[in-house]
Amino acid sequence: MSGNTTLVDLAENLFTHMRMIRRKTIGERDRVDRSIRDHTQIIEALEARDAGRAEILVRDHALGLAEHVAKYVDYLD
């Protein structure tokens, strides 16, 4: 929204990276069920205007995904 081309480029690269990670992980183990559960809890915290809980849930979700990626994702596929 700012028109800052550096931020736009960073955001585009981030979204590309996120799509790749999702494509690699979503079919593995319990990732679909866990992702749905995590996102549902995040939405519930936001709807309750509980920013502290939402922050913790988002952080835990991101760190859990990072751990899963580190353990199971092979980028050479």
Side-chain angles (χ1 to χ4, degrees):
M1 291 172 58
S2 71
N4 183 315
T5 57
T6 301
L7 291 177
V8 170
D9 290 344
L10 286 170
E12 287 175 0
N13 288 335
L14 178 63
F15 289 131
T16 299
H17 180 73
M18 287 172 42
R19 280 190 297 271
M20 182 191 68
I21 293 296
R22 185 177 299 124
R23 189 171 32 248
K24 290 274 193 178
T25 62
I26 202 67
E28 298 175 341
R29 305 185 188 277
D30 67 342
R31 284 307 308 170
V32 171
D33 292 335
R34 182 166 178 178
S35 184
I36 291 169
R37 187 172 52 251
D38 288 355
H39 285 99
T40 299
Q41 291 174 346
I42 292 165
I43 291 167
E44 288 170 352
L46 292 171
E47 288 175 338
R49 299 188 186 280
D50 188 344
R53 176 133 176 86
E55 176 186 357
I56 290 167
L57 291 168
V58 168
R59 182 177 47 243
D60 289 349
H61 175 71
L63 292 174
L65 178 57
E67 181 180 334
H68 179 87
V69 168
K71 283 183 181 177
Y72 302 111
V73 173
D74 179 5
Y75 289 99
L76 300 177
D77 287 344

